[in-house]
Protein backbone atom coordinates (compact mmCIF):
# COMPACT_ATOMS: atom_id res chain seq x y z
CA UNK A 1 0.00 0.00 0.00
CA UNK A 2 1.39 3.44 -0.82
CA UNK A 3 1.73 5.72 2.22
CA UNK A 4 -1.15 8.09 2.90
CA UNK A 5 -0.39 11.65 1.88
CA UNK A 6 0.68 13.86 4.77
CA UNK A 7 -2.04 15.81 6.52
CA UNK A 8 -1.55 19.12 8.21
CA UNK A 9 -0.73 18.87 11.88
CA UNK A 10 -0.58 21.67 14.44
CA UNK A 11 0.30 21.45 18.13
CA UNK A 12 -0.40 24.05 20.80
CA UNK A 13 1.70 24.12 23.97
CA UNK A 14 -0.19 25.92 26.74
CA UNK A 15 -3.97 25.61 26.84
CA UNK A 16 -4.96 28.63 28.92
CA UNK A 17 -7.05 31.52 27.60
CA UNK A 18 -4.84 32.14 24.56
CA UNK A 19 -4.07 28.50 23.74
CA UNK A 20 -7.69 27.34 24.00
CA UNK A 21 -9.11 30.29 22.06
CA UNK A 22 -6.51 29.80 19.34
CA UNK A 23 -7.31 26.07 19.20
CA UNK A 24 -10.97 26.96 18.71
CA UNK A 25 -10.16 29.48 15.95
CA UNK A 26 -7.93 26.92 14.20
CA UNK A 27 -10.60 24.19 14.45
CA UNK A 28 -13.12 26.57 12.87
CA UNK A 29 -10.67 27.54 10.12
CA UNK A 30 -10.35 24.05 8.64
CA UNK A 31 -6.64 24.74 7.99
CA UNK A 32 -5.35 21.61 9.75
CA UNK A 33 -6.34 17.92 9.75
CA UNK A 34 -4.85 17.19 13.19
CA UNK A 35 -4.41 19.24 16.35
CA UNK A 36 -2.59 18.20 19.53
CA UNK A 37 -2.98 20.16 22.78
CA UNK A 38 -0.23 20.05 25.43
CA UNK A 39 -0.23 21.61 28.91
CA UNK A 40 1.51 20.88 32.24
CA UNK A 41 -2.05 20.61 33.48
CA UNK A 42 -2.98 17.42 31.58
CA UNK A 43 -6.65 17.63 32.65
CA UNK A 44 -6.85 21.11 31.18
CA UNK A 45 -5.47 19.91 27.83
CA UNK A 46 -7.86 16.93 27.81
CA UNK A 47 -10.85 19.08 28.75
CA UNK A 48 -10.13 21.65 26.06
CA UNK A 49 -9.53 18.93 23.42
CA UNK A 50 -12.92 17.35 24.25
CA UNK A 51 -14.82 20.63 24.38
CA UNK A 52 -13.36 21.95 21.10
CA UNK A 53 -13.88 18.60 19.36
CA UNK A 54 -17.61 18.85 20.17
CA UNK A 55 -17.79 21.67 17.61
CA UNK A 56 -16.49 19.45 14.80
CA UNK A 57 -19.92 18.28 13.65
CA UNK A 58 -20.65 21.93 12.84
CA UNK A 59 -17.29 22.55 11.15
CA UNK A 60 -15.00 20.11 9.27
CA UNK A 61 -13.61 16.77 10.44
CA UNK A 62 -10.15 16.73 12.04
CA UNK A 63 -8.38 14.84 14.87
CA UNK A 64 -8.19 16.82 18.11
CA UNK A 65 -6.46 15.29 21.12
CA UNK A 66 -4.46 16.04 24.24
CA UNK A 67 -0.91 14.79 23.77
CA UNK A 68 2.74 15.01 24.71
CA UNK A 69 6.02 16.26 23.22
CA UNK A 70 6.46 12.94 21.36
CA UNK A 71 3.54 14.08 19.15
CA UNK A 72 5.58 17.01 17.83
CA UNK A 73 7.94 14.90 15.70
CA UNK A 74 5.73 15.11 12.59
CA UNK A 75 3.94 18.41 13.36
CA UNK A 76 4.03 21.16 10.73
CA UNK A 77 3.43 24.07 13.08
CA UNK A 78 3.95 24.27 16.86
CA UNK A 79 2.47 27.25 18.69
CA UNK A 80 3.73 28.13 22.20
CA UNK A 81 1.31 30.05 24.43
CA UNK A 82 2.48 28.52 27.74
CA UNK A 83 3.51 30.62 30.69
CA UNK A 84 2.44 33.35 33.02
CA UNK A 85 0.31 36.17 31.65
CA UNK A 86 0.19 39.89 32.57
CA UNK A 87 -1.70 40.80 35.72
CA UNK A 88 -3.33 44.23 36.03
CA UNK A 89 -0.54 46.84 36.27
CA UNK A 90 2.20 44.49 34.98
CA UNK A 91 4.05 45.21 31.73
CA UNK A 92 4.95 42.42 29.30
CA UNK A 93 8.63 42.77 30.26
CA UNK A 94 7.71 42.05 33.90
CA UNK A 95 7.10 38.43 32.85
CA UNK A 96 10.68 37.79 31.69
CA UNK A 97 12.19 35.66 34.41
CA UNK A 98 9.14 33.41 34.94
CA UNK A 99 8.60 32.73 31.26
CA UNK A 100 12.24 32.35 30.22
CA UNK A 101 12.56 29.57 32.82
CA UNK A 102 9.41 27.88 31.46
CA UNK A 103 10.74 28.23 27.89
CA UNK A 104 14.08 26.60 28.73
CA UNK A 105 12.17 23.46 29.70
CA UNK A 106 9.79 23.60 26.73
CA UNK A 107 12.54 24.20 24.12
CA UNK A 108 14.59 21.25 25.42
CA UNK A 109 11.59 18.97 24.94
CA UNK A 110 10.73 20.39 21.49
CA UNK A 111 14.34 19.76 20.41
CA UNK A 112 14.30 16.23 21.78
CA UNK A 113 11.06 15.46 19.88
CA UNK A 114 12.82 15.94 16.52
CA UNK A 115 10.35 18.68 15.47
CA UNK A 116 11.50 20.38 12.25
CA UNK A 117 8.52 22.54 11.25
CA UNK A 118 7.65 26.16 12.00
CA UNK A 119 7.68 27.32 15.61
CA UNK A 120 5.31 30.19 16.44
CA UNK A 121 5.97 31.95 19.76
CA UNK A 122 3.09 33.85 21.37
CA UNK A 123 3.86 33.96 25.13
CA UNK A 124 5.10 37.29 26.49
CA UNK A 125 7.41 39.05 26.40
CA UNK A 126 7.14 37.64 22.89
CA UNK A 127 10.27 39.27 21.40
CA UNK A 128 12.51 38.08 24.22
CA UNK A 129 10.99 34.59 24.10
CA UNK A 130 11.39 34.47 20.30
CA UNK A 131 15.09 35.33 20.74
CA UNK A 132 15.41 32.66 23.46
CA UNK A 133 13.63 30.09 21.26
CA UNK A 134 15.93 30.81 18.30
CA UNK A 135 18.89 30.16 20.62
CA UNK A 136 17.51 27.01 22.27
CA UNK A 137 15.26 25.20 19.78
CA UNK A 138 17.99 24.17 17.33
CA UNK A 139 15.76 25.32 14.45
CA UNK A 140 16.93 27.71 11.71
CA UNK A 141 16.07 31.33 12.64
CA UNK A 142 13.69 31.68 9.66
CA UNK A 143 11.53 28.90 11.15
CA UNK A 144 11.11 30.52 14.56
CA UNK A 145 8.55 33.31 14.38
CA UNK A 146 7.11 35.50 17.10
CA UNK A 147 3.52 36.74 16.73
CA UNK A 148 5.09 40.14 17.43
CA UNK A 149 3.02 43.15 16.45
CA UNK A 150 0.57 41.30 14.19
CA UNK A 151 -2.13 41.77 16.86
CA UNK A 152 -1.16 45.41 17.58
CA UNK A 153 -1.27 46.18 13.84
CA UNK A 154 -4.73 44.60 13.64
CA UNK A 155 -5.90 46.74 16.57
CA UNK A 156 -4.47 49.86 14.90
CA UNK A 157 -6.22 49.14 11.58
CA UNK A 158 -9.51 48.53 13.37
CA UNK A 159 -9.31 51.80 15.34
CA UNK A 160 -8.42 53.84 12.22
CA UNK A 161 -11.17 52.08 10.28
CA UNK A 162 -13.76 53.00 12.94
CA UNK A 163 -12.62 56.61 13.14
CA UNK A 164 -12.42 57.23 9.40
CA UNK A 165 -15.20 54.95 8.13
CA UNK A 166 -13.25 52.60 5.90
CA UNK A 167 -12.71 48.81 5.73
CA UNK A 168 -9.73 47.94 8.01
CA UNK A 169 -8.38 45.74 5.20
CA UNK A 170 -7.85 48.88 3.10
CA UNK A 171 -5.83 50.58 5.84
CA UNK A 172 -2.11 49.95 5.25
CA UNK A 173 -0.06 50.81 8.29
CA UNK A 174 2.26 48.82 10.56
CA UNK A 175 3.34 48.71 14.16
CA UNK A 176 7.02 47.77 14.45
CA UNK A 177 9.58 47.01 17.16
CA UNK A 178 8.74 45.47 20.53
CA UNK A 179 5.28 44.00 21.10
CA UNK A 180 5.04 46.23 24.15
CA UNK A 181 5.52 49.72 25.48
CA UNK A 182 8.39 50.76 23.13
CA UNK A 183 6.59 49.78 19.90
CA UNK A 184 6.22 52.42 17.15
CA UNK A 185 3.67 53.15 14.48
CA UNK A 186 5.20 53.66 11.01
CA UNK A 187 2.97 56.66 10.25
CA UNK A 188 5.24 57.97 7.47
CA UNK A 189 4.29 55.10 5.13
CA UNK A 190 0.60 54.78 6.18
CA UNK A 191 -1.98 54.91 3.40
CA UNK A 192 -5.56 53.94 2.57
CA UNK A 193 -5.70 52.19 -0.81
CA UNK A 194 -2.75 54.23 -2.10
CA UNK A 195 -3.86 57.61 -0.67
CA UNK A 196 -1.58 58.91 2.11
CA UNK A 197 -3.35 58.51 5.45
CA UNK A 198 -3.17 62.25 6.17
CA UNK A 199 -4.98 63.02 2.87
CA UNK A 200 -7.60 60.38 3.62
CA UNK A 201 -8.03 61.82 7.14
CA UNK A 202 -8.68 65.29 5.62
CA UNK A 203 -11.31 63.80 3.28
CA UNK A 204 -13.18 61.97 6.03
CA UNK A 205 -12.67 63.99 9.17
CA UNK A 206 -12.26 67.53 10.47
CA UNK A 207 -9.68 68.59 13.04
CA UNK A 208 -6.01 68.06 13.56
CA UNK A 209 -4.22 65.07 12.03
CA UNK A 210 -1.57 65.32 14.78
CA UNK A 211 -4.24 64.98 17.45
CA UNK A 212 -5.84 62.06 15.58
CA UNK A 213 -2.46 60.28 15.50
CA UNK A 214 -1.81 60.88 19.15
CA UNK A 215 -5.29 59.66 20.20
CA UNK A 216 -5.04 56.55 18.00
CA UNK A 217 -1.50 55.77 19.29
CA UNK A 218 -2.56 55.90 22.90
CA UNK A 219 -5.69 53.82 22.28
CA UNK A 220 -3.61 51.08 20.61
CA UNK A 221 -0.79 51.22 23.16
CA UNK A 222 -3.21 50.96 26.08
CA UNK A 223 -5.65 48.48 24.62
CA UNK A 224 -4.12 45.36 26.22
CA UNK A 225 -3.91 47.13 29.61
CA UNK A 226 -7.56 48.22 29.31
CA UNK A 227 -8.78 44.71 28.40
CA UNK A 228 -6.73 43.12 31.21
CA UNK A 229 -8.15 45.64 33.72
CA UNK A 230 -11.67 44.89 32.56
CA UNK A 231 -11.65 41.10 31.92
CA UNK A 232 -8.28 39.83 33.24
CA UNK A 233 -6.85 38.57 29.93
CA UNK A 234 -6.83 39.18 26.17
CA UNK A 235 -7.40 36.23 23.88
CA UNK A 236 -9.89 36.67 21.00
CA UNK A 237 -7.79 39.18 19.03
CA UNK A 238 -4.59 37.16 19.43
CA UNK A 239 -6.42 33.96 18.43
CA UNK A 240 -7.39 35.59 15.10
CA UNK A 241 -3.82 36.86 14.64
CA UNK A 242 -2.50 33.32 15.21
CA UNK A 243 -4.98 31.92 12.71
CA UNK A 244 -3.85 34.51 10.14
CA UNK A 245 -0.16 33.65 10.65
CA UNK A 246 -0.93 29.90 10.32
CA UNK A 247 -2.89 30.59 7.11
CA UNK A 248 0.16 32.28 5.55
CA UNK A 249 2.37 29.33 6.50
CA UNK A 250 0.08 26.41 5.66
CA UNK A 251 -1.19 27.90 2.39
CA UNK A 252 2.27 29.23 1.46
CA UNK A 253 0.64 32.62 0.90
CA UNK A 254 3.83 34.71 0.98
CA UNK A 255 1.86 37.50 2.64
CA UNK A 256 3.69 40.34 4.38
CA UNK A 257 3.14 40.37 8.15
CA UNK A 258 5.05 42.21 10.88
CA UNK A 259 6.23 39.23 12.89
CA UNK A 260 9.00 39.12 15.44
CA UNK A 261 12.21 37.96 13.73
CA UNK A 262 15.93 37.97 14.37
CA UNK A 263 17.41 41.25 13.14
CA UNK A 264 20.49 40.95 10.92
CA UNK A 265 21.94 44.47 11.02
CA UNK A 266 19.05 46.46 9.48
CA UNK A 267 19.35 50.05 10.80
CA UNK A 268 22.38 48.78 12.74
CA UNK A 269 20.20 46.41 14.81
CA UNK A 270 21.25 42.82 15.52
CA UNK A 271 21.27 40.25 18.31
CA UNK A 272 17.61 40.82 19.06
CA UNK A 273 14.20 39.74 17.72
CA UNK A 274 11.54 42.36 17.06
CA UNK A 275 8.80 43.02 14.54
CA UNK A 276 9.53 44.19 11.01
CA UNK A 277 7.66 43.29 7.81
CA UNK A 278 8.43 39.76 6.53
CA UNK A 279 7.19 37.61 3.63
CA UNK A 280 5.75 34.52 5.31
CA UNK A 281 5.27 31.16 3.61
CA UNK A 282 5.60 27.43 4.13
CA UNK A 283 9.34 27.74 4.88
CA UNK A 284 8.70 30.37 7.53
CA UNK A 285 10.22 33.81 6.98
CA UNK A 286 11.17 33.91 3.29
CA UNK A 287 12.19 37.56 2.96
CA UNK A 288 12.88 40.06 5.72
CA UNK A 289 12.00 43.51 4.41
CA UNK A 290 13.71 46.57 5.91
CA UNK A 291 10.76 48.87 6.59
CA UNK A 292 10.59 52.28 4.98
CA UNK A 293 10.92 54.70 7.93
CA UNK A 294 11.41 58.41 8.59
CA UNK A 295 14.51 59.44 10.63
CA UNK A 296 12.35 59.82 13.74
CA UNK A 297 10.86 56.33 13.26
CA UNK A 298 14.33 54.83 12.70
CA UNK A 299 15.42 56.33 16.02
CA UNK A 300 12.30 54.89 17.72
CA UNK A 301 13.01 51.43 16.26
CA UNK A 302 16.62 51.58 17.51
CA UNK A 303 15.42 52.67 20.97
CA UNK A 304 12.96 49.77 21.05
CA UNK A 305 15.78 47.36 20.09
CA UNK A 306 18.05 48.82 22.80
CA UNK A 307 15.38 48.26 25.43
CA UNK A 308 15.02 44.61 24.40
CA UNK A 309 18.79 44.12 24.24
CA UNK A 310 19.14 45.32 27.82
CA UNK A 311 16.72 42.59 28.90
CA UNK A 312 18.57 39.98 26.81
CA UNK A 313 21.88 41.03 28.38
CA UNK A 314 20.44 40.14 31.79
CA UNK A 315 19.48 36.60 30.76
CA UNK A 316 21.57 33.59 31.69
CA UNK A 317 20.85 31.15 28.87
N1 LIG B 1 1.74 37.81 21.78
C1 LIG B 1 0.55 38.33 22.03
O1 LIG B 1 0.07 39.18 21.27
C2 LIG B 1 -0.20 37.86 23.25
C3 LIG B 1 -1.54 38.22 23.47
C4 LIG B 1 -2.17 37.75 24.62
C5 LIG B 1 -1.48 36.98 25.54
N2 LIG B 1 -0.18 36.66 25.30
C6 LIG B 1 0.62 35.84 26.23
O2 LIG B 1 0.26 34.48 26.08
C7 LIG B 1 0.61 33.78 27.29
C8 LIG B 1 -0.58 32.95 27.77
O3 LIG B 1 -1.63 33.80 28.22
P1 LIG B 1 -2.98 33.17 28.81
O4 LIG B 1 -3.88 34.30 29.08
O5 LIG B 1 -3.42 32.03 27.94
O6 LIG B 1 -2.43 32.58 30.20
P2 LIG B 1 -3.08 31.38 31.04
O7 LIG B 1 -2.51 31.51 32.41
O8 LIG B 1 -4.57 31.37 30.86
O9 LIG B 1 -2.50 30.07 30.35
C9 LIG B 1 -1.18 29.66 30.41
C10 LIG B 1 -1.16 28.15 30.29
O10 LIG B 1 0.20 27.72 30.21
C11 LIG B 1 0.29 26.49 30.93
N3 LIG B 1 1.67 26.24 31.28
C12 LIG B 1 2.44 26.85 32.22
N4 LIG B 1 3.68 26.30 32.22
C13 LIG B 1 3.70 25.36 31.25
C14 LIG B 1 4.69 24.47 30.76
N5 LIG B 1 5.93 24.43 31.28
N6 LIG B 1 4.36 23.62 29.77
C15 LIG B 1 3.13 23.64 29.23
N7 LIG B 1 2.13 24.46 29.66
C16 LIG B 1 2.43 25.31 30.65
C17 LIG B 1 -0.62 26.70 32.13
O11 LIG B 1 -0.99 25.46 32.74
C18 LIG B 1 -1.81 27.43 31.48
O12 LIG B 1 -2.80 26.52 31.04
C19 LIG B 1 1.03 34.87 28.30
O13 LIG B 1 2.44 34.96 28.33
C20 LIG B 1 0.42 36.14 27.70
O14 LIG B 1 1.10 37.31 28.12
C21 LIG B 1 0.47 37.07 24.18
Amino acid sequence: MPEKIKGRKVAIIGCGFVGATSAFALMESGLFSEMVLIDVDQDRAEGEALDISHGLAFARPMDISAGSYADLADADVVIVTAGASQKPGESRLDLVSKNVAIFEGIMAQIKESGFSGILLIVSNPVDILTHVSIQLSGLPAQRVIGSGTVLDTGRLKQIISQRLGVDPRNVHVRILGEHGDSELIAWSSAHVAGIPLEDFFNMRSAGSYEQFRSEVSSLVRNSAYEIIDKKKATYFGIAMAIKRICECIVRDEKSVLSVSNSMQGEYGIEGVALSTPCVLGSDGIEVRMPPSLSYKEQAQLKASAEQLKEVIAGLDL
Side-chain angles (χ1 to χ4, degrees):
M1 279 279 280
E3 270 189 36
K4 278 191 188 176
I5 61 162
K6 216 169 159 241
R8 287 167 169 178
K9 181 171 176 180
V10 63
I12 301 181
I13 303 176
C15 304
F17 286 120
V18 175
T21 317
S22 303
F24 178 75
L26 290 176
M27 178 277 280
E28 249 251 303
S29 75
L31 274 177
F32 294 97
S33 54
E34 191 177 351
M35 177 156 61
V36 177
L37 303 184
I38 299 174
D39 198 291
V40 275
D41 180 348
Q42 177 71 13
D43 279 347
R44 179 87 192 240
E46 285 174 13
E48 295 295 2
L50 274 174
D51 194 7
I52 294 167
S53 70
H54 294 163
L56 283 174
F58 312 105
R60 268 163 281 193
M62 70 185 288
D63 279 344
I64 302 177
S65 60
S68 69
Y69 285 87
D71 294 304
L72 304 188
D74 61 346
D76 301 290
V77 180
V78 169
I79 303 166
V80 190
T81 73
S85 58
Q86 280 170 275
K87 305 286 171 288
E90 266 188 332
S91 81
R92 295 174 179 96
L93 289 177
D94 290 332
L95 303 172
V96 172
S97 51
K98 284 181 253 182
N99 285 350
V100 167
I102 289 175
F103 264 58
E104 285 177 326
I106 290 176
M107 289 306 135
Q109 294 178 84
I110 290 180
K111 200 170 177 181
E112 201 183 313
S113 74
F115 171 67
S116 61
I118 312 284
L119 185 57
L120 173 57
I121 307 302
V122 181
S123 312
N124 276 318
V126 69
D127 303 290
I128 303 292
L129 295 175
T130 301
H131 175 84
V132 165
S133 304
I134 291 169
Q135 307 295 312
L136 302 182
S137 66
L139 293 166
Q142 78 189 70
R143 289 185 165 236
V144 184
I145 298 164
S147 61
T149 54
V150 174
L151 170 60
D152 319 51
T153 298
R155 285 175 175 151
L156 173 63
K157 290 182 179 189
Q158 170 61 12
I159 292 169
I160 293 176
S161 122
Q162 264 182 337
R163 293 260 171 142
L164 301 185
V166 65
D167 184 336
R169 294 170 300 178
N170 294 127
V171 178
H172 300 280
V173 60
R174 289 179 187 281
I175 296 194
L176 306 173
E178 178 201 359
H179 166 62
D181 298 338
S182 71
E183 67 191 19
L184 63 126
I185 300 177
W187 290 112
S188 65
S189 55
H191 65 93
V192 174
I195 296 180
L197 184 60
E198 183 167 6
D199 295 350
F200 191 78
F201 170 82
N202 289 327
M203 277 179 213
R204 299 288 282 172
S205 183
S208 143
Y209 181 57
E210 273 315 305
Q211 194 182 331
F212 165 80
R213 289 198 332 184
S214 121
E215 283 170 12
V216 168
S217 304
S218 77
L219 279 174
V220 176
R221 219 174 286 281
N222 293 325
S223 52
Y225 290 113
E226 185 184 356
I227 298 167
I228 291 167
D229 274 346
K230 290 184 168 156
K231 56 171 271 193
K232 309 274 185 281
T234 76
Y235 37 90
F236 289 115
I238 184 62
M240 291 300 285
I242 290 172
K243 187 189 85 169
R244 178 72 194 111
I245 296 170
C246 287
E247 230 167 42
C248 294
I249 296 168
V250 168
R251 303 185 68 252
D252 197 19
E253 288 187 4
K254 306 188 196 303
S255 303
V256 179
L257 292 182
S258 298
V259 288
S260 189
N261 68 99
S262 183
M263 296 297 281
Q264 310 287 325
E266 296 85 351
Y267 300 114
I269 303 171
E270 58 188 347
V272 66
L274 48 69
S275 287
T276 54
C278 294
V279 175
L280 265 195
S282 57
D283 197 24
I285 294 170
E286 297 197 359
V287 179
R288 305 168 53 263
M289 301 159 63
S292 154
L293 298 175
S294 66
Y295 285 119
K296 186 177 167 207
E297 290 161 356
Q298 286 182 33
Q300 288 175 308
L301 187 67
K302 282 184 191 166
S304 186
E306 282 312 313
Q307 186 156 343
L308 290 167
K309 282 181 94 163
E310 265 177 41
V311 178
I312 289 171
L315 299 179
D316 181 21
L317 292 178

